[in-house]
Amino acid sequence: MNEVTLVTGATGNLGGHVLAQLLARGRRVRALSRRPPATGVSAVDWCQADLSSGQGLARALSGVGTVVHCATDGRTRDGDVMAAQHLIKAAAKAGAPHLLFVSIIGVDRHPLDYYRAKYDTERLIETSGLPYTILRAAQFHDMLHYALDRASRLPVMPVLARTSFQSVDTPHVAARAVELSAVGPSGRVADLPGPDTLTMADMARILLRVTGRRRPILPLVLPGRVPGAYRQGLHLAPAAQPGSRSFEDFLKEGPAVKVPAAVRRSR
Ligand SMILES: NC(=O)c1ccc[n+]([C@@H]2O[C@H](COP(=O)([O-])OP(=O)(O)OC[C@H]3O[C@@H](n4cnc5c(N)ncnc54)[C@H](OP(=O)(O)O)[C@@H]3O)[C@@H](O)[C@H]2O)c1
């Protein structure tokens, strides 16, 4: 496979892993970012472009056979939808490459604004006329790590009561996206949850054990539609799925705390 694969969000968490894995497979890769290339990535064809304005997209998409769309901007409700509109328009003009989008499990039923924007993006892609693949993944381990790390800085560690997650390792999601990019347009593919279904309290206990700390854990029933939707498990697949590294093994490597886009919007 010698066509160029464009990775949007190549400086981000998922996009960074996708970029590295494509390069490791010897694929021709172009990275899209609003920023200039960092030192050490000179081997990558780097393209500065802004999805929110469309600036630079014509050049970014020139000669591209596949786009792995990992860019996300959680700061506004419509940011990701507008970005997808610009990307689709530029892709249609550039010969209609395969557009692969990594979305989130349950976005069609969960009321969180960030998820609604992902669902709107999915529908834009499905009706775009472009050949596409949509892969919905569970929350990344990094996301739960971030939330629990913050909670663990308090004297008592608050967690969402009666709420479970099937968090998944980001490199595992990247590997699936890379695999699908080679398969070609596949429409909506099977959801990708992590290997375990754990309550947030279970995950808090794992974090405390792995980092050798002690805190009382305080499960809270928060009011409102969004916490209610998490309690109902609207973000969950019917069953967890083996394959990804577990949350505990992820934490044992001592990862840095990453602030995900979905969280950045509400800060
Ligand atoms: N985090 C999760 O738990 C999770 C779970 C399931 C699915 N997903 C999906 O996976 C995707 C990636 O998430 P992530 O957490 O890896 O994201 P992330 O680390 O926050 O990275 C976001 C990326 O988007 C780029 N970006 C933002 N605005 C842009 C713009 N206007 N133009 C061009 N690039 C822009 C940023 O690049 P520059 O700043 O360099 O321009 C950055 O590389 C998202 O679609 C997300 O919904 C995430």
Side-chain angles (χ1 to χ4, degrees):
M1 206 175 165
N2 208 23
E3 61 171 28
V4 175
T5 300
L6 177 71
V7 182
T8 75
T11 57
N13 186 14
L14 177 66
H17 286 291
V18 169
L19 188 72
Q21 291 185 25
L22 285 168
L23 286 170
R25 287 183 176 213
R27 298 262 294 273
R28 291 175 63 201
V29 184
R30 185 174 298 156
L32 187 154
S33 165
R34 290 164 297 182
R35 297 177 249 178
T39 47
V41 290
S42 54
V44 178
D45 176 8
W46 197 270
C47 201
Q48 262 183 281
D50 190 338
L51 287 160
S52 63
S53 65
Q55 174 270 322
L57 287 184
R59 186 179 107 60
L61 281 145
S62 162
V64 163
T66 301
V67 180
V68 185
H69 182 33
C70 305
T72 184
D73 182 354
R75 285 174 307 168
T76 64
R77 164 69 178 80
D78 297 325
D80 278 348
V81 180
M82 206 186 303
Q85 282 166 342
H86 288 139
L87 183 63
I88 287 167
K89 196 170 161 197
K93 279 189 189 161
H98 171 203
L99 178 53
L100 193 162
F101 176 52
V102 181
S103 185
I104 305 172
I105 294 173
V107 290
D108 51 333
R109 47 187 193 256
H110 198 293
L112 185 72
D113 268 359
Y114 184 70
Y115 294 170
R116 302 308 301 169
K118 292 287 159 201
Y119 186 45
D120 290 347
T121 301
E122 286 188 2
R123 285 187 299 181
L124 276 178
I125 291 170
E126 283 165 352
T127 55
S128 66
L130 295 173
Y132 71 89
T133 302
I134 294 173
L135 169 65
R136 290 183 180 175
Q139 288 65 39
F140 300 162
H141 289 330
D142 306 272
M143 168 76 91
L144 273 302
H145 182 207
Y146 167 80
L148 292 167
D149 175 76
R150 296 211 27 125
S152 73
R153 295 179 198 186
L154 302 170
V156 172
M157 197 171 169
V159 295
L160 295 173
R162 304 201 301 270
T163 301
S164 296
F165 289 93
Q166 295 166 329
S167 70
V168 65
D169 206 22
T170 314
H172 182 68
V173 179
R176 180 71 181 129
V178 167
E179 186 180 50
L180 288 165
S181 74
V183 170
S186 306
R188 248 293 294 290
V189 297
D191 290 353
L192 187 56
D196 302 297
T197 304
L198 298 171
T199 65
M200 203 172 176
D202 288 335
M203 299 180 93
R205 278 186 276 277
I206 291 170
L207 178 86
L208 292 173
R209 187 171 66 241
V210 170
T211 56
R213 287 175 295 160
R214 285 168 171 260
R215 290 282 185 290
I217 294 169
L218 178 66
L220 295 174
V221 177
L222 298 181
R225 286 168 64 225
V226 168
Y230 279 114
R231 279 195 297 279
Q232 285 177 64
L234 299 187
H235 59 298
L236 298 176
Q241 195 174 287
S244 157
R245 186 166 57 157
S246 70
F247 185 61
E248 179 157 358
D249 287 344
F250 160 81
L251 288 179
K252 280 180 177 166
E253 292 219 338
V257 178
K258 292 180 182 151
V259 185
V263 177
R264 279 200 291 273
R265 76 181 303 272
S266 57
R267 297 169 88 214

